[in-house]
Amino acid sequence: MDFDYDLFVIGGGSGGVRAARVAAGEAGARVALAEEDRYGGTCVQRGCVPKKLMVFASTYGVSAREAQDYGWTMMAGGFDWPSFRGKLEVELDRLEGVYRKILKSNGVETFDARARLKDAHTVELSTGETRTAKHILVATGGWPVKPEFPGADLAITSNEIFHLETLPKSMLIVGGGYIACEFACILNGLGVKVTQFYRGAQILRGFDDEARGLISEEMIENGVGLHLGTNVLEMKRVEDGIWVKATNGKEYTVDQVMFATGRAPNSADLGLEEIGVTLGRNGQIEVDAYSQTSVPSVYAIGDVTDRVNLTPVAIREGMAFVETVFKGNPTPVDHDMIPSAIFTQPEMGTIGLSEEAARDREPIEVYATSFRAMQTAFIGKPDRVLMKLIVSQKTRRVLGCHIVAPQAGEMIQLAGIAIKMGATKEDFDRVVAVHPTMSEELVTMRTPVRTA
Ligand code: NDP
């Protein structure tokens, strides 16, 4: 059968764009891509990129105060949100242009439209057109979800936070995951009075207990009003903001409320189930190790499959899909030992197993040190950092590494290479320390703090 294309990609985010351009540019496939919103997807338009720029913006106030303590004469004025937001919008437009250009220069035909699957080889566009393809790749990502309760519509999500007309004076953030914690720190750094509710006993569930404990302490020390075991019961608009009734019995009035209570796969109304694609309980597209769905011509990558929801993972999945389908080299995606960073203040860099997960699997040694870093200790700040290694007693391999410190994301990228290669504790010990740095502690910890 003759198809219009070899590949039709639905979704112009990091994963979809990478797969489309490599399939067209390197494998010579005839490729089309449909995107209903802005090119670049969550990472570029509503996530990692604008978030990281906001992280940078939010740290200058503290840096200015620290510079003063170091002897500089500094004038730390207020933060001008409209000026920053204007520059951010220009940057996001530029990046969208880059994505469009990459697709064009690789010969990918693009449709600024929503696409739905009509059958195993046909997509229907919101423009009314239909197109056929030998393979269809769904890369539609995810979307923030809010629980339902009275007044929930008054709250924004991370999608809206980058476009606020004015920076609120006070804000309630609900949730204890990556997004809630990162934005609590960002907004606090920008001078917003931040209250954060998390329903559980400690933020950042699933990460190493000692690491998340330290982040939580430091966030509180830096001024975030963190309330654990607390959730929202009801909200309503009042004259001076949004009134919130909490499960702790207290009432709050804030300018703005943001819910960061998780994200759901964007799989609704794509025609998936109608053509026989199996979805999981949370709406995620079920795929095998090669990202193939239950319909052989349809593949899916990225957050819509809810495997490891990170941009570089979606990109890997896109590349592996092209290797498998267009280069005749079946390539499963390796989801093991993925380093990642949480851009809280302080930052966390992490790879592998937490102490709690590791000790459930096998006997371990724990090497950890928490200390006041030279740069801030010098000016009398109480900030502490953490360097931690989890080591297998049997194989001596480093099973996990958790760093809480400024620039921890940069550190874990490099430590991650050795750990992914299977480095043992003794391999770490053989490396000479770089002095004076914080990360030198990773190669100088001689005695385990505990075994388990
Ligand atoms: P997460 O799933 O990480 O966190 C959701 C949070 O909301 C949890 O604390 C959860 O609590 C809480 N929650 C869920 N439902 C409710 C509810 N009904 N009422 C109150 N609280 C609720 O989602 P995020 O939105 O923070 O992030 C989504 C994904 O995006 C992450 O998993 C990550 O993969 C990715 N991401 C990665 C970043 C990075 O790499 N730096 C940055 C931002 C996002 P509980 O723990 O009790 O379930």
Side-chain angles (χ1 to χ4, degrees):
M1 185 179 160
D2 241 9
F3 297 107
D4 297 329
Y5 307 102
D6 300 312
L7 173 65
F8 198 102
V9 180
I10 306 180
S14 305
V17 167
R18 178 63 67 93
R21 84 163 162 90
V22 177
E26 290 181 18
R30 294 169 305 146
V31 183
L33 180 147
E35 167 58 55
E36 64 174 329
D37 198 336
R38 300 194 67 183
Y39 285 70
T42 297
C43 172
V44 174
Q45 297 296 338
R46 296 173 291 277
C48 322
V49 171
K51 180 273 304 287
K52 188 85 190 268
L53 291 168
M54 279 182 83
V55 170
F56 292 139
S58 72
T59 56
Y60 287 108
V62 174
S63 300
R65 286 192 290 278
E66 290 180 357
Q68 259 180 343
D69 292 338
Y70 262 87
W72 286 87
T73 307
M74 300 293 287
M75 291 275 291
F79 174 67
D80 183 7
W81 169 254
S83 150
F84 170 77
R85 199 194 57 184
K87 290 197 178 80
L88 183 63
E89 279 163 5
V90 170
E91 178 62 2
L92 300 186
D93 286 348
R94 185 186 74 79
L95 290 170
E96 179 168 23
V98 169
Y99 270 66
R100 282 184 184 274
K101 205 168 140 204
I102 288 174
L103 289 170
K104 197 163 179 217
S105 63
N106 281 281
V108 176
E109 189 177 345
T110 53
F111 296 92
D112 293 353
R114 182 172 172 81
R116 270 184 112 255
L117 286 97
K118 201 170 164 210
D119 62 44
H121 294 284
T122 311
V123 292
E124 202 170 29
L125 297 165
S126 50
T127 53
E129 301 158 272
T130 56
R131 290 287 188 277
T132 59
K134 187 165 182 212
H135 301 284
I136 296 172
L137 179 68
V138 183
T140 46
W143 202 251
V145 285
K146 282 193 274 185
E148 286 190 15
F149 61 89
D153 54 323
L154 294 172
I156 61 166
T157 68
S158 56
N159 278 355
E160 291 79 44
I161 191 81
F162 307 108
H163 305 292
L164 295 175
E165 278 301 313
T166 52
L167 194 64
K169 287 199 170 52
S170 59
M171 182 140 185
L172 169 67
I173 296 180
V174 183
Y178 284 82
I179 297 181
C181 294
E182 290 182 340
F183 277 98
C185 295
I186 290 169
L187 292 157
N188 182 55
L190 294 178
V192 178
K193 182 177 183 299
V194 176
T195 305
Q196 184 182 357
F197 289 176
Y198 173 52
R199 63 183 179 181
Q202 184 55 282
I203 55 168
L204 298 171
R205 183 166 61 82
F207 291 97
D208 186 86
D209 274 358
E210 208 172 359
R212 64 203 186 111
L214 178 57
I215 291 175
S216 150
E217 271 173 40
E218 295 285 329
M219 282 172 62
I220 294 168
E221 174 72 31
N222 292 338
V224 174
L226 175 61
H227 299 268
L228 299 171
T230 307
N231 213 342
V232 174
L233 277 177
E234 187 188 345
M235 298 194 320
K236 59 183 179 213
R237 176 146 324 271
V238 289
E239 207 180 318
D240 51 347
I242 300 171
W243 171 88
V244 180
K245 189 168 180 199
T247 50
N248 61 7
K250 294 192 186 146
E251 295 173 16
Y252 301 77
T253 302
V254 291
D255 288 346
Q256 194 74 254
V257 179
M258 180 176 110
F259 269 70
T261 44
R263 296 172 61 84
N266 257 336
S267 60
D269 197 26
L270 285 174
L272 290 163
E273 281 166 302
E274 290 88 326
I275 67 157
V277 173
T278 307
L279 301 186
R281 218 158 54 91
N282 299 321
Q284 75 275 24
I285 301 179
E286 300 284 3
V287 289
D288 67 10
Y290 302 95
S291 300
Q292 191 173 30
T293 72
S294 50
V295 173
S297 59
V298 179
Y299 287 72
I301 55 164
D303 288 7
V304 76
T305 62
D306 198 16
R307 286 176 278 180
V308 179
N309 298 333
L310 298 170
T311 299
V313 175
I315 290 173
R316 286 282 167 118
E317 290 166 356
M319 306 272 281
F321 157 78
V322 175
E323 267 318 298
T324 303
V325 175
F326 292 101
K327 296 190 181 178
N329 175 26
T331 306
V333 181
D334 178 3
H335 288 103
D336 192 33
M337 283 283 184
I338 294 172
S340 68
I342 308 176
F343 295 99
T344 40
Q345 293 161 34
E347 209 167 290
M348 162 134 106
T350 178
I351 184 169
L353 299 175
S354 66
E355 177 178 343
E356 297 70 38
R359 76 177 176 220
D360 283 349
R361 291 202 194 174
E362 59 177 294
I364 54 163
E365 287 177 355
V366 178
Y367 295 83
T369 173
S370 180
F371 56 96
R372 291 171 71 201
M374 193 177 178
Q375 187 176 4
T376 44
F378 178 70
I379 49 174
K381 290 187 80 178
D383 307 19
R384 279 187 306 128
V385 302
L386 171 74
M387 303 284 153
K388 182 166 179 179
L389 294 175
I390 316 294
V391 176
S392 161
Q393 286 189 23
K394 186 160 159 248
T395 66
R396 306 300 301 153
R397 278 192 173 197
V398 176
L399 303 174
C401 175
H402 312 286
I403 303 174
V404 178
Q407 303 294 320
E410 303 289 346
M411 296 180 205
I412 204 69
Q413 179 70 81
L414 301 178
I417 298 170
I419 295 167
K420 177 82 181 161
M421 287 172 75
T424 62
K425 176 67 173 64
E426 287 63 37
D427 290 326
F428 270 64
D429 293 346
R430 269 201 298 280
V431 179
V432 173
V434 177
H435 186 70
T437 63
M438 292 178 280
S439 51
E440 66 180 298
E441 298 291 333
L442 287 176
V443 298
T444 54
M445 293 186 284
R446 289 287 176 258
T447 324
V449 288
R450 54 193 168 269
T451 53

